[in-house]
């Protein structure tokens, strides 16, 4: 992409993010999903019927 602003770097011309905000969002959302799945698993594990209560 051709730019007429000599003050812009290659990353800025490509609209890249030098602070890696996209990576942070990806990591935080992945951790959030894993925590949510862990809580669901824990919920079903805690409230599962014992071996003597099956009919």
């Amino acid at each position: 992409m051709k730019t007429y602003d000599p003050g812009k770097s290659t990353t800025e011309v490509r609209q890249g993010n030098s602070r890696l905000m996209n990576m942070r969002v990806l990591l935080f959302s992945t951790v959030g999903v894993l925590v949510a799945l862990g809580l669901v698993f824990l919920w079903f594990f805690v409230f599962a019927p014992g071996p003597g209560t099956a009919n």
Side-chain angles (χ1 to χ4, degrees), residues 22-44:
N22 293 335
M23 182 62 74
R24 291 178 192 177
V25 170
L26 179 64
L27 288 176
F28 289 151
S29 61
T30 302
V31 169
V33 167
L34 290 176
V35 168
L37 288 174
L39 289 173
V40 168
F41 178 76
L42 184 65
W43 178 268
F44 283 109

Side-chain angles (χ1 to χ4, degrees), residues 1 8-19 22:
M1 180 176 177
K8 286 187 178 179
S9 67
T10 308
T11 303
E12 291 170 333
V13 170
R14 288 190 218 142
Q15 297 178 353
N17 192 342
S18 62
R19 293 181 61 203
N22 293 335

